[in-house]
Amino acid sequence: MKKVRVCIIGGGSRLWAIQFIKDLVLQDKLGADITLYDIDMKAAERNRAVAERIFAVNGKSSVMSVSVTSSLSEGLKGSDFVIIAIEPGVIDIRKYDLELPEEYGILQSVGDTTGPGGIMRARRALPLFFDFAREIERNAPEAWVINYTNPLTLCTAALYKAFPSIKAIGCCHEVFHLQTFIAELVSKRLGIPVPDRREIFTDVTGLNHFTFITKALYRGEDQIPYIREMIEKEGFPDLTEKGKERIREGKWFDSDHLVALKFLDDFGTLGAAGDRHLAEFVPFFLKSDKDAWRYGFVRTPYSYREEEDRRKKSHEYSDDELVASPSDEEGVDILLSLAGERVLKTNVNIPNNGQVGYIGKGHITESNGLISCNSIVPLVSTPPSKPIISMLQRIETEQNLILEAIWKNDMDLLFQAFILDPLVDLPIDEAHELFSHMLDSCALRY
């Protein structure tokens, strides 16, 4: 059996690293030598022990191995694939990402991609990604890099900024949830079992987490007209009570895709990310918690992030939990395709080479791509409506400013991006004040 060498940056992660390894043992095409790198060596060592148990429980100890390194350069040497899934800084910083803007009336439902919190997270993460790219160039220049870290567009762009010929892709599952939603609508309309979401071909276009679909084909038939009919028939019910219930039950990630549907109804193109992400790119849905609840989504509080971080770090896995079962993530599917073991068509975040015609060349865009042996061929997407294009171009400009500002360590330029963000609807003096407070409180620390 052919073996690949995989370096996981963020190898101490109790979410992405463990899930990736569990997905990896489900396939029988490739063996793997995995190296875990993390600035938290204790966390990486804990994951090494968990990974060895995953191999044993799933019968893969003979074809897979895992090690830990304190040296990124050593971990990268000889790697065929590099996985990046990090938390830039201690979890405590996210309190300020979320709560400082709230003091100024700016609400964020996630705070890791856009808005003031997303900008400050980018300020912490991008210098790390510049360094990762340089280390990859020196030690594994031919490796394929799969990035999961948010803000995904900017982190992936940072890799290309520091190492222009890097082979990197941003991997995100948000579109999958919308495919599942459409599959459920197909089931209801046709009276059939719910199709696998992979049977719904979506024409994806946009920027990560502010992504849209212009077609949704099931067995060659576009479902968008039927979705429009559903909206006309059912409208947009007030889901305030459902939103409140989600808060009581701690269901921070649930939604009914009403925001995605509202984009279709008002602006002509269906949103393809989760509502809590889509809402942060425009000023329409987050003026108050009541506005969010009306559409059924809720803001994820810092207290949840803090508790979840503590829970994951202290969790002791049982053997039953380590028995691998199929997840809905595609990182391993992408790895297998790039290794020549299959061909995959899916949404990818890569530099724009014309596949998204209304966004500048080189900008990291999200659209479909055909992934095969050592190759990702971008597929040209159908443009969304003109109002959606305008919204996306504004975010493109903001992201370009953020990338350049952090590359140059130019905080005046970063403020220009900050004030351009749709959520920062403040008098200029207050915007300066908030920005200054966040620069101090949201800086990288461990």
Side-chain angles (χ1 to χ4, degrees):
M1 178 183 287
K2 177 184 174 183
K3 269 195 173 185
V4 293
R5 182 171 174 81
V6 181
C7 178
I8 301 181
I9 301 176
S13 163
R14 281 300 175 103
L15 176 61
W16 292 109
I18 296 297
Q19 186 60 63
F20 183 86
I21 293 169
K22 287 176 71 176
D23 287 345
L24 194 60
V25 300
L26 282 173
Q27 56 79 38
D28 294 311
K29 301 289 188 181
L30 299 172
D33 295 319
I34 301 169
T35 301
L36 305 178
Y37 169 77
D38 202 296
I39 61 168
D40 185 344
M41 282 289 288
K42 289 183 179 179
E45 287 290 355
R46 286 197 299 269
N47 275 2
R48 179 194 58 75
V50 173
E52 287 178 344
R53 289 176 58 204
I54 292 172
F55 300 155
V57 166
N58 294 279
K60 293 298 174 72
S61 296
S62 64
V63 294
M64 294 188 182
S65 68
V66 61
S67 61
V68 171
T69 182
S70 61
S71 166
L72 179 56
S73 60
E74 288 300 317
L76 287 169
K77 284 179 181 175
S79 291
D80 302 294
F81 295 93
V82 180
I83 312 301
I84 309 179
I86 68 165
E87 176 66 35
V90 292
I91 196 70
D92 306 36
I93 308 172
R94 299 190 76 173
K95 175 182 177 70
Y96 303 103
D97 288 344
L98 294 168
E99 295 184 5
L100 280 177
E102 189 171 351
E103 292 177 10
Y104 288 77
I106 297 173
L107 305 185
Q108 300 167 105
S109 40
V110 187
D112 71 354
T113 297
T114 191
I119 292 170
M120 291 299 146
R121 184 176 170 90
R123 179 178 172 242
R124 298 193 297 274
L126 266 57
L128 302 176
F129 274 74
F130 297 148
D131 289 341
F132 295 158
R134 294 178 186 116
E135 289 290 345
I136 291 166
E137 182 177 21
R138 282 191 286 265
N139 296 287
E142 296 303 316
W144 279 97
V145 182
I146 301 174
N147 173 48
Y148 288 100
T149 307
N150 288 327
L152 189 135
T153 298
L154 283 165
C155 288
T156 307
L159 295 172
Y160 281 94
K161 184 76 170 177
F163 177 18
S165 60
I166 198 170
K167 299 190 295 187
I169 175 176
C171 187
C172 180
H173 57 206
E174 287 294 313
V175 172
F176 306 163
H177 302 320
L178 198 279
Q179 290 173 326
T180 298
F181 173 69
I182 295 173
E184 291 167 351
L185 297 181
V186 167
S187 169
K188 182 179 178 181
R189 185 172 69 84
L190 299 180
I192 60 173
V194 178
D196 187 283
R197 62 111 182 144
R198 294 167 182 81
E199 295 184 62
I200 309 297
F201 171 75
T202 49
D203 190 343
V204 179
T205 190
L207 304 171
N208 182 246
H209 288 169
F210 199 40
T211 320
F212 296 84
I213 62 169
T214 52
K215 298 174 188 172
L217 304 180
Y218 175 67
R219 297 186 176 179
E221 184 179 28
D222 191 4
Q223 301 303 303
I224 300 294
Y226 298 110
I227 295 173
R228 289 183 183 275
E229 288 178 9
M230 180 192 73
I231 293 171
E232 186 174 347
K233 180 179 179 181
E234 300 180 9
F236 290 86
D238 188 334
L239 298 183
T240 298
E241 292 308 312
K242 197 170 189 179
K244 291 179 179 179
E245 181 180 343
R246 283 171 173 159
I247 291 175
R248 289 193 296 270
E249 296 179 356
K251 295 181 177 179
W252 308 112
F253 304 99
D254 289 6
S255 78
D256 297 84
H257 302 283
L258 283 197
V259 172
L261 294 168
K262 193 67 172 166
F263 274 108
L264 176 62
D265 191 47
D266 284 340
F267 302 110
T269 310
L270 180 63
D275 284 355
R276 52 200 286 278
H277 280 299
L278 289 169
E280 289 191 313
F281 286 91
V282 292
F284 314 139
F285 301 103
L286 279 167
K287 291 297 185 183
S288 70
D289 279 319
K290 289 181 179 179
D291 292 325
W293 300 342
R294 183 257 178 272
Y295 289 94
F297 74 96
V298 297
R299 296 189 295 133
T300 308
Y302 167 70
S303 58
Y304 165 80
R305 303 286 186 189
E306 183 182 41
E307 178 58 32
E308 189 69 359
D309 182 67
R310 185 164 47 246
R311 184 193 67 79
K312 287 175 182 174
K313 287 179 177 177
S314 63
H315 183 67
E316 297 294 336
Y317 289 92
S318 67
D319 283 352
D320 286 345
E321 289 177 285
L322 299 180
V323 175
S325 59
S327 76
D328 207 30
E329 299 298 334
E330 286 190 344
V332 170
D333 293 329
I334 291 170
L335 183 153
L336 287 169
S337 301
L338 291 170
E341 299 297 334
R342 58 168 295 175
V343 175
L344 175 68
K345 186 183 337 184
T346 191
N347 55 297
V348 294
N349 291 268
I350 56 176
N352 188 29
N353 194 30
Q355 67 267 27
V356 179
Y358 52 89
I359 297 292
K361 188 172 183 180
H363 196 91
I364 303 298
T365 54
E366 186 158 10
S367 62
N368 289 325
L370 187 66
I371 307 174
S372 58
C373 185
N374 201 33
S375 171
I376 300 178
V377 177
L379 303 179
V380 175
S381 67
T382 303
S385 66
K386 288 183 178 179
I388 297 294
I389 288 175
S390 178
M391 296 174 199
L392 285 159
Q393 288 174 338
R394 176 174 177 171
I395 301 302
E396 175 196 8
T397 299
E398 179 186 341
Q399 290 176 341
N400 285 336
L401 287 172
I402 294 168
L403 179 63
E404 196 65 21
I406 298 171
W407 178 255
K408 294 178 178 178
N409 194 28
D410 183 340
M411 294 304 100
D412 291 335
L413 188 59
L414 190 63
F415 175 75
Q416 293 172 20
F418 187 85
I419 196 74
L420 183 63
D421 189 276
L423 292 186
V424 183
D425 182 17
L426 296 175
I428 191 76
D429 290 342
E430 288 188 19
H432 273 292
E433 185 177 81
L434 172 59
F435 182 73
S436 178
H437 288 171
M438 295 190 78
L439 284 183
D440 291 338
S441 299
C442 302
L444 181 67
R445 63 181 183 278
Y446 292 102

